[in-house]
Amino acid sequence: QLLEAEAGLSLAQTQHALQLQQARAQMNNMVPKKQFEQLQTSLREEQCKAQQLQENLHWQAEQTCRQMARTQDEHERLLQAAVEQAEGLEHNLRSAEAVLAERVAQLKDALAQLSRNKLLIEDLREENRGFAVALQAAEQKQKSTEEKNQLLEEQASALKQLIGKITPASLS
């Protein structure tokens, strides 16, 4: 019984020594209480900072989303205005093209009329040259006729004078 008791005691002592060794190893791995409290305080502070940063980040994300929504609305408004302006400019361009096409047609008509008028003027010039030649011939003929008429008047006047001299002498 004594041997059994000694063996049990020896086994208990061995187990106790093993447990003591394990407890010492755990204690070596443990942090002192003051340092643990400091670490806990630091952890809480860091968690508060992390919470604040997370809240701040969330707030900034909301602000960024709002700003992006405003920016997108502004871009859409500007795009709509640009589209409307482009449509207006396109309408103005079409109107201007129509006016220009009408003006081109008018100018073509005017050019055709001008060409016809040019031909008419050329014909009139040709006719006028003919009239000028005919007028010159008529003037020449008139001059010639006037000269003959003058000669005839001079002859008639000389005949009258002669008759005027002959008639009183024959009457006497």
Side-chain angles (χ1 to χ4, degrees), residues 5-18:
E6 280 181 6
L9 180 64
S10 177
L11 180 65
Q13 284 177 340
T14 305
Q15 285 177 346
H16 179 68
L18 186 61

Side-chain angles (χ1 to χ4, degrees), residues 48-103:
C48 284
K49 286 179 185 177
Q51 178 71 25
Q52 286 177 344
L53 286 173
Q54 191 172 13
E55 288 172 2
N56 196 10
L57 183 63
H58 181 70
W59 180 81
Q60 285 179 354
E62 286 178 354
Q63 294 298 319
T64 301
C65 284
R66 285 189 196 110
Q67 181 64 33
M68 285 176 63
R70 284 192 298 268
T71 303
Q72 186 175 359
D73 289 345
E74 180 68 15
H75 285 161
E76 286 173 3
R77 189 184 63 75
L78 289 173
L79 179 62
Q80 182 63 32
V83 166
E84 289 172 4
Q85 185 179 12
E87 287 171 353
L89 289 173
E90 190 174 335
H91 175 72
N92 289 346
L93 179 63
R94 282 192 203 114
S95 297
E97 285 174 344
V99 168
L100 286 174
E102 186 179 327
R103 187 69 180 135

Side-chain angles (χ1 to χ4, degrees), residues 88-130:
L89 289 173
E90 190 174 335
H91 175 72
N92 289 346
L93 179 63
R94 282 192 203 114
S95 297
E97 285 174 344
V99 168
L100 286 174
E102 186 179 327
R103 187 69 180 135
V104 165
Q106 289 174 350
L107 288 173
K108 283 182 180 178
D109 290 345
L111 185 62
Q113 184 64 39
L114 186 63
S115 294
R116 287 191 295 273
N117 288 347
K118 229 177 179 180
L119 291 173
L120 285 174
I121 288 171
E122 195 57 42
D123 288 347
L124 287 174
R125 282 186 181 153
E126 194 61 38
E127 222 176 289
N128 277 348
R129 281 190 207 104

